[in-house]
Amino acid sequence: MDLDRELNPEQKAAVLHPQGPLLILAGAGSGKTRVITYRIAHLVGERGVPPGNILAVTFTNKAAREMRERVERLLGAEAPSWISTFHAFGARLLRRHAELLGYSRDFLIYDEDDARRLGREVTKAMGLDPQQYPVEELLAQVERAKRNLKGPGEGGIRFGPASAFYARYQERLRKNDALDFSDLIRLSCKLLCDFPAVLSEYQRRFEHVLVDEFQDTDPAQYRLLRLLCPPEANLCVVGDDDQSIYSWRGAEVRHILGFAQDYPGCRVVKLEQNYRSTPQVLETASRVIAGNRERHEKTLWTGAPAGAPVELYALSDERAEGELAVRLALSRRERGEKLSGLAVLYRTNAQSRAFEEAFRVFGVPYLVVGGVRFFDRAEIRDAVAYLRLLQNPKSDVDLLRVINVPPRGIGDTTRERLSEIAARHGCQIFESLTEERLSGLRRPEREKALSFAALLRALRDECQNKSAVECVRRVLEKTGYLKMLESSESEQAQGRYENLQELASAAQEFATLSGDPSLAAFLEHVSLLTDLDGARGEAEAVTLMTLHSAKGLEFDEVLLAGLEEGLLPHRRSLKEDEDGTRRGALEEERRLCYVGMTRARKRLVLSYAWQRAVFGRVEMNPPSRFLDLLPGGVRRVGGMEEPAEDEEAFEELSDDDGVFLDAEDEPPPPEPTRGRARPSAATPGRVRPKTDRDGQNWIGRFVAHDTFGRGLVRAACQTRLGLKLTVDFEDAGEKTILADYVKRL
DNA sequence: TCGGGCGACATTTTT
DNA sequence: TGTCGCCCGA
Ligand SMILES: Nc1ncnc2c1ncn2[C@@H]1O[C@H](COP(=O)(O)OP(=O)(O)OP(=O)(O)O)[C@@H](O)[C@H]1O
């Protein structure tokens, strides 16, 4: 590790900073994460700090893993094990001391869906009208309170029933021996506050604490840090206020901007050289972010030679955006560059669809990050629920989920009765599954419930001290889950079956990677997992993800798509805030845009579409206001005026990279597993103008209209209002009508 | 009890 | 456009 060669003087100073708090407030691509990584390596390698005495916090599990890998490479030895997200850290801490807070060390971690199920139980028990008090709303209140470290009955709740709901919900969580996500932080704080001995143990242990992406910490997380790190502690925080994009989740920039007040002795280091991007990319991003008023001005320059100009494409619709992405991918391939060097970034997950379709049609391998996670699939959740019951049969949420999967003749009514019986005995459902406690049930129901309890007990015995993989296998076998799928006629059963096999592989893979084959370890991993984790850099595929997921990453080439009013900035950020809490939402959208642009190393392509299908309706939106500040050097492709009937944009487009597109004749390959790259086989061809194609798809087809009824499409043409159809209605005769108002049959 | 069918509803962003 | 919840008939 040669610090002089690999770091600039400021970075080096930060890495060498001897002791006391350290704040690095610096712009995108200035090497903040690099500094943290090097500093950890330096502390361990040069200063002899025991790895176990270093705590490093990252924003995602993936970032944590990458940091660990990099430190290991620098060090040539094992990295500190306390490199994780706040949540993973909290889980680990609580696991060790759970008894102090009234939980067992085998507590479960409930995710949003589990929490919702539990919440529904609570509202039902409270007799709250779900119309008037939606569970999601109540849980949002609870989460907000928890983020502000308010326990039940400690305020932080806005409206009446939510407060009582919080208390009962929390009580139920405890009885289930489970924590929800925000409890991981809140209870960690509580643990350290209420038990000074524990606090001082960890204060002593963590000689050094380092936090990446500090601009996105919420009050509970910051509190946790402040507990661990008294004012003179070796706390190193790193961030960029221009990249604060999680205020909607409770993150507060003032933590970073006010850091010097809370840690008065802190050293402040500024990093001003950007090592990631070309001058063009940097200039563009800087101009755009300069549109914000509430920000810390930062200088950012680059010594890199000029690269390709930033491009801005005006396109007709989202399908054209998809084709643009395909074109970028194919020309990378022609140049012999890896597809993994290209990322498509967008504001909302829903936008991925158009890109996926285009990539599928043209056989370009791609990887979608986020959206529906593997572990959110119903069959996987069912299997995981069984696994969790092995570890903790008190989890009513899991028990109720699977007691009738596969169908065992235990329906809603019986389940409700079981809940009541357990409540009456003041115990959990599993504990009430005995002959005498169920005596109130009719014979057949009682038998079924008891045999389920027997099944669980047998499984528990059998899986005692077995590896996670083994548990998965046995659960799937003994519960009859696989048999249920095998005998199912339905189309989806096959896919589900494969997904469950995949779960076993995942358990195996995790065991190998982590070196811990236990069920407990696997379950914890699964609970904290996000979809980002599936996406390892090695896949030779284009990456598709939201701007939020892209934070901290970098790609040679970035397509930032959907730069339209209403999308970026998102329309919900444009609405005047009713309660004053979302002020500055627009500035956050701009920061999001900045984050996206600054992911690009060499080439940045921006695009917007004049019209976009949303829920099947067609929407038209003007280009994003963020484009107003683009510098002059941006190369604009496609008419800046809304294209009326002309196809200018397309002609220009298809000439562009010298790559021509055409769909393959054979039908597209079967639906890929999300998050999996697929092999590809694209054939060069020619792009048909989009407008024409739309028409082709309609002509000769039957459509239905609310008042005119059924009819045959005779002709179609693209107008500025959308696609206009000439339809021969069976009853009403020939009409000219916008495609928006009819349904294809 | 269970499955299919149908209508309502929804899209910000995620640890 | 797709999912989820609800209702109904078997
Ligand atoms: N001194 C340096 N010499 C060479 N490359 C560097 C140097 N500092 C940083 N880099 C490179 O610049 C890129 C950006 O660094 P890094 O990701 O650490 O920046 P960052 O400030 O964390 O970025 P962001 O805030 O945008 O996520 C990385 O590829 C990194 O390897």
Side-chain angles (χ1 to χ4, degrees), chain A residues 276-277 281 555-556 558 596-604:
Chain A
R276 180 181 293 140
S277 310
V281 169
F555 300 89
D556 282 346
V558 167
M597 291 176 162
T598 53
R599 296 310 97 196
R601 272 199 285 249
K602 299 186 177 138
R603 184 182 187 191
L604 174 61

Side-chain angles (χ1 to χ4, degrees), chain A residues 281-349:
Chain A
V281 169
L282 197 58
E283 161 81 355
T284 306
S286 304
R287 289 281 188 107
V288 168
I289 196 64
N292 272 355
R293 317 205 72 217
E294 287 181 41
R295 63 182 289 257
H296 222 94
E297 281 278 342
K298 284 180 289 296
T299 334
L300 209 52
W301 60 276
T302 172
V310 171
E311 294 145 83
L312 172 61
Y313 283 80
L315 302 170
S316 61
D317 58 19
E318 78 280 357
R319 290 166 71 183
E321 264 187 340
E323 282 169 12
L324 172 61
V326 168
R327 192 171 291 110
L328 293 174
L330 295 186
S331 55
R332 277 190 77 78
R333 190 184 274 160
E334 288 214 334
R335 294 194 300 266
E337 295 162 343
K338 290 192 148 199
L339 290 182
S340 55
L342 171 65
V344 179
L345 307 182
Y346 37 77
R347 177 66 233 265
T348 66
N349 280 309

Side-chain angles (χ1 to χ4, degrees), chain A residues 462-482:
Chain A
E462 202 178 317
C463 293
Q464 200 79 48
N465 298 321
K466 288 279 189 310
S467 71
V469 199
E470 196 59 27
C471 295
V472 173
R473 296 230 175 85
R474 288 179 194 230
V475 159
L476 295 179
E477 197 62 41
K478 294 285 156 73
T479 58
Y481 208 104
L482 285 185

